[in-house]
């Protein structure tokens, strides 16, 4: 028997529409209805069940429109689940995933009111008189609006702002872009938009400072439209909410807008899984030891769980909520502080619960060995050479690029010729293109998104260079278009081989030598330039002569604490493998292997 044609049917429809759906005459349909005991005129509505009976009898199959729409909506949500979120829940059964509170990052230009807005929102939750009491900033806080929780990432003001922002958009589900109504869209506003878009995160605009006499909301809305954020009142997709952090106006509307957007975003987790997430802050407090603030992204974390975070691990002795109260457990999207770790982890490290301390120690030992192990000093976040490998593994299908050129006239041809290289299997997305030298913000965007930076006839400024080396970001400089095209083409085919060369990233001067029991001789150093890194190789130079080279750094300490790196102008203690015969005045060069080509 031939397959029956399946017709999609709404909850209610008129007899006329039902007939049209089957390509039959209304009279015929009415006859069938009468045969089933239903007297209906041509314009009368019938319900789905009735329609389905007639459809079956007339030789077709029926399926509810509602189901089709729901399936489409689910598929749409799936598709817009950004890479990091997909990765996080890849081992979960779809059926176990339930909604969790949205995590919000506040982005925007300096002085547009991010901190004021975060404080104002936080205060909406605090009872009168209690206001001064709650001042603890742990990297995130949670509020409740209309019975629904919302978590805000609360970037501490002293943090290197751009670096945090790069991370901020990454753990967040929604970005609130603060734009001052008296100042409008500024360079950092545009960068923030790029960050959010690169992270696949929807944007809600908080149009702040509307209380000011010189506020010009309409003009700012125009500017927002010009950068692709068309306000909903102009039939666009972006919710733009006028607020005043200072006067505490519009805050409820903003929270409402956040909840509306979160409804349409795939924000889910499995609370019954073992906990995993990201470190928001790590610090060591005298008397309390290492304390880490964690954002739980999946599962439930409980006192007594053993976690690994970067190279720190331990059994959780106690958990504290965002208001400093002791709690027993915390679920998806909750920020918590925990005590009981071996050392303070670094912000941005991922954490996960493991079976027991033995397993945890094993994982950490492996990670440390990896850090110290041979090969290139820095593993690039994503490099042109690596792209093919990760493509083959099915990890990515898209080559993300940030393009900087010297003049407007070269920008378009460079962007076009790069976009032309995409083929059926691999797409090329230019996340950001602009004229000017490669800046630290470009590098941060690359880090946050896994993009590669391509510069044409431009330089890399010092801060960008430093950050790129530190984070292993691939920057490619060209001054001939065809060479650039050739490289990208080869990379797409997996035929671009890396070439390494040594690069000195920092120089330390030995100012004192200490004998420390168990550890041996330690060089008390001052970093003269660059960065001393624990996973670099060291060369010891005495009066211009190389005393030893390619040495592992066995210890790098600031005061008592082990650190991964120390920057120019700071003092530190250094111990090296196979060399301890330090003398005052020796120079220790820190060398990494850097990719060229
Ligand atoms: P951030 O750099 O984005 O964190 O901005 P801040 O929150 O530090 O705010 C910068 C300045 O703008 C401060 O002097 C605030 O008092 C002021 N400010 C913030 N929000 C408002 C507002 O809604 N209205 C007015 N008039 N001033 C505001």
């Amino acid at each position: 028997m031939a397959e029956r044609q399946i017709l999609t049917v709404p909850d209610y429809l008129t007899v006329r529409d039902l007939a049209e759906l089957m390509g039959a005459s209304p009279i015929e349909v009415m006859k069938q209805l009468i045969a089933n005991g239903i007297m209906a005129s041509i314009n009368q509505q019938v319900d789905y069940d009735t329609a389905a009976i007639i459809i079956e009898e007339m030789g077709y199959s029926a399926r509810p429109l509602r189901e089709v729409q729901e399936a489409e909506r689910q598929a749409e949500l799936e598709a817009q689940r950004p890479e990091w979120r997909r990765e996080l829940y890849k081992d979960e059964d779809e059926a176990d995933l339930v909604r969790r509170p949205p995590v919000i990052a506040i982005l925007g230009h300096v002085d547009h009111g991010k901190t004021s807005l975060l404080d104002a929102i936080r205060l909406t939750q605090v009872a009168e008189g209690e206001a001064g009491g709650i001042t603890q900033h742990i990297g995130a806080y949670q509020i409740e609006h209309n019975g629904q929780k919302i978590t805000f990432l609360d970037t501490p003001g002293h943090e290197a702002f751009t670096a945090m922002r790069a991370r901020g958009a990454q753990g967040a589900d929604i970005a609130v872009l603060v734009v001052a109504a008296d100042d409008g869209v500024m360079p950092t506003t545009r960068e923030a938009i790029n960050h959010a878009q690169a992270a696949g995160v929807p944007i809600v605009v908080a149009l702040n400072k509307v209380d000011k006499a010189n506020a010009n909301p309409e003009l700012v809305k125009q500017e927002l439209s010009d950068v692709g954020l068309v306000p909903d009142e102009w039939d666009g997709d972006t919710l733009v909410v006028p607020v005043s952090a200072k006067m505490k106006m519009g805050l409820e509307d903003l929270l409402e807008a956040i909840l509306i957007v979160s409804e349409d975003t795939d924000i889910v987790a499995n609370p019954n899984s073992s906990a995993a997430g990201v470190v928001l802050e790590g610090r060591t407090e005298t008397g309390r030891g290492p304390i880490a603030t964690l954002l739980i992204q999946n599962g439930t974390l409980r006192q007594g769980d053993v976690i690994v975070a970067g190279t720190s691990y331990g059994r959780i002795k106690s958990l504290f909520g965002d208001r400093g109260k002791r709690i027993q457990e915390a679920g998806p999207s909750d920020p918590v502080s925990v005590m009981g770790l071996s050392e303070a982890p670094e912000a941005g490290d991922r954490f996960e619960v493991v079976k027991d301390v033995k397993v945890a120690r094993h994982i950490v030992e492996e990670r440390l060995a990896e850090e110290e192990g041979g090969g290139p000093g820095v593993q690039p976040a994503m490099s042109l050479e690596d792209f093919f490998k990760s493509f083959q593994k099915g990890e990515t299908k898209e080559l993300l690029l940030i393009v900087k050129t010297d003049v407007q006239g070269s920008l378009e041809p460079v962007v076009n010729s790069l976009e032309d290289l995409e083929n059926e299997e691999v797409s090329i997305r230019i996340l950001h293109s602009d004229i000017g030298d490669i800046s630290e913000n470009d590098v941060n965007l690359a880090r946050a998104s896994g993009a590669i930076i391509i510069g044409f006839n431009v330089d890399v400024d010092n801060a960008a260079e430093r950050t790129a080396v530190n984070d292993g970001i691939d920057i490619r400089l060209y001054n001939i278009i065809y060479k650039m095209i050739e490289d990208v083409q080869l990379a797409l085919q997996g035929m671009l081989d890396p070439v390494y060369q040594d690069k000195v990233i920092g120089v330390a001067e030995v100012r004192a030598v200490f004998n420390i029991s168990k550890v041996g001789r330690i060089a008390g150093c001052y970093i003269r330039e660059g960065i001393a890194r624990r996973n670099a190789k060291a060369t010891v130079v005495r009066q211009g002569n190389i005393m030893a080279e390619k040495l592992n750094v066995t210890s790098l300490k600031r005061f008592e604490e082990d650190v991964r790196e120390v920057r120019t102008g700071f003092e530190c203690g250094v111990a090296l493998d196979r060399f301890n015969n330090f003398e005052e005045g020796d120079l220790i060069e820190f060398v990494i292997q850097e990719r060229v080509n």
Side-chain angles (χ1 to χ4, degrees), residues 456-520:
F456 185 76
N457 279 339
V458 294
D459 282 330
V460 183
D461 75 27
N462 287 340
E465 169 92 38
R466 225 179 304 125
T467 319
V469 168
N470 228 6
D471 295 346
I473 300 299
D474 195 6
I475 299 182
R476 303 257 159 181
L477 299 178
Y478 299 94
N479 41 30
I480 304 171
I481 288 202
Y482 93 81
K483 178 66 187 141
M484 171 189 83
I485 292 173
E486 189 179 69
D487 272 10
V488 175
Q489 238 162 4
L490 287 173
L492 292 182
Q493 297 157 4
M495 281 159 43
L496 192 65
D497 290 326
V499 175
Y500 295 104
Q501 77 180 17
D502 283 351
K503 175 171 176 160
V504 177
I505 53 163
V507 180
E509 179 188 324
V510 178
R511 292 197 166 169
V513 182
F514 306 99
N515 275 312
I516 296 187
S517 60
K518 277 198 245 168
V519 187

Side-chain angles (χ1 to χ4, degrees), residues 109-116 208-209 211-212 244-246:
H109 196 70
V110 66
D111 275 349
H112 279 197
K114 295 177 293 296
T115 316
S116 309
N208 192 29
K209 306 198 188 185
D211 59 286
K212 289 185 89 166
S244 163
K246 188 177 170 187

Side-chain angles (χ1 to χ4, degrees), residues 285-570:
E285 279 183 17
T286 12
R288 298 176 84 193
I291 296 186
T293 303
L294 311 174
L295 174 69
I296 298 169
Q297 294 177 308
N298 197 31
T300 297
L301 186 67
R302 298 185 175 83
Q303 191 177 333
D305 281 347
V306 175
I307 68 168
V308 179
T311 55
S312 149
Y313 68 95
R315 187 179 297 282
I316 294 178
K317 278 194 289 203
S318 35
L319 257 80
F320 300 91
D322 59 337
R323 297 189 185 189
K325 274 215 189 82
R326 202 157 167 169
I327 51 176
Q328 293 302 314
E329 59 172 46
S333 298
D334 287 346
V336 283
S337 297
V338 300
M339 279 168 60
L341 297 182
S342 55
E343 60 178 44
E346 286 188 21
D349 279 347
R350 301 211 60 80
F351 82 87
E352 60 183 339
V353 169
V354 298
K355 193 164 131 261
D356 53 31
V357 175
K358 218 171 109 194
V359 172
R361 196 179 303 132
H362 184 73
I363 294 175
V364 167
E365 276 165 9
E366 269 187 357
R367 285 187 185 162
L368 287 171
E370 221 168 82
E371 269 185 22
E372 278 172 22
V378 186
Q379 275 306 322
M382 167 63 89
S383 71
L384 210 46
E385 295 86 5
D386 290 340
F387 174 75
F388 189 70
K389 261 185 260 151
S390 97
F391 168 70
Q392 274 183 320
K393 278 195 234 151
E395 290 165 357
T396 178
K397 284 201 170 69
E398 201 174 42
L399 177 60
L400 300 175
L401 299 175
I402 292 167
V403 179
K404 297 296 283 279
T405 67
D406 52 347
V407 288
Q408 198 67 40
S410 59
L411 191 59
E412 205 181 306
V414 166
V415 166
N416 288 347
S417 50
L418 286 169
E419 280 175 338
D420 280 350
L421 294 175
E422 88 176 4
N423 58 41
E424 266 170 25
E425 289 175 327
V426 187
S427 57
I428 291 183
R429 182 145 68 105
I430 314 274
L431 272 187
H432 176 60
S433 61
D434 206 349
I435 52 173
D437 283 347
I438 291 161
S439 69
E440 197 176 7
N441 284 320
D442 297 324
V443 176
N444 280 327
L445 177 58
R447 177 176 57 182
S449 57
I452 290 157
I453 303 177
I454 293 201
F456 185 76
N457 279 339
V458 294
D459 282 330
V460 183
D461 75 27
N462 287 340
E465 169 92 38
R466 225 179 304 125
T467 319
V469 168
N470 228 6
D471 295 346
I473 300 299
D474 195 6
I475 299 182
R476 303 257 159 181
L477 299 178
Y478 299 94
N479 41 30
I480 304 171
I481 288 202
Y482 93 81
K483 178 66 187 141
M484 171 189 83
I485 292 173
E486 189 179 69
D487 272 10
V488 175
Q489 238 162 4
L490 287 173
L492 292 182
Q493 297 157 4
M495 281 159 43
L496 192 65
D497 290 326
V499 175
Y500 295 104
Q501 77 180 17
D502 283 351
K503 175 171 176 160
V504 177
I505 53 163
V507 180
E509 179 188 324
V510 178
R511 292 197 166 169
V513 182
F514 306 99
N515 275 312
I516 296 187
S517 60
K518 277 198 245 168
V519 187
R521 278 161 75 85
I522 299 272
C525 297
Y526 171 81
I527 308 300
R528 289 225 308 220
E529 55 189 88
I531 303 172
R533 294 184 49 165
R534 182 149 146 59
N535 63 358
K537 301 283 178 199
T539 307
V540 182
V541 182
R542 185 170 300 160
Q543 289 164 355
N545 300 317
I546 292 179
M547 305 298 290
E549 56 185 343
K550 298 205 165 40
L551 305 169
N552 283 332
V553 180
T554 50
S555 162
L556 182 65
K557 281 184 192 280
R558 288 263 308 140
F559 304 105
E560 292 299 292
E561 217 173 306
D562 283 312
V563 289
R564 289 187 193 182
E565 60 178 48
V566 182
R567 288 170 185 269
T568 317
F570 288 97

Side-chain angles (χ1 to χ4, degrees), residues 78-91:
E78 271 273 11
Q80 42 144 289
R81 191 181 288 180
E83 200 70 42
W84 63 267
R85 240 188 274 154
R86 247 179 274 162
E87 180 64 25
L88 202 56
Y89 307 115
K90 69 177 186 317
D91 295 331

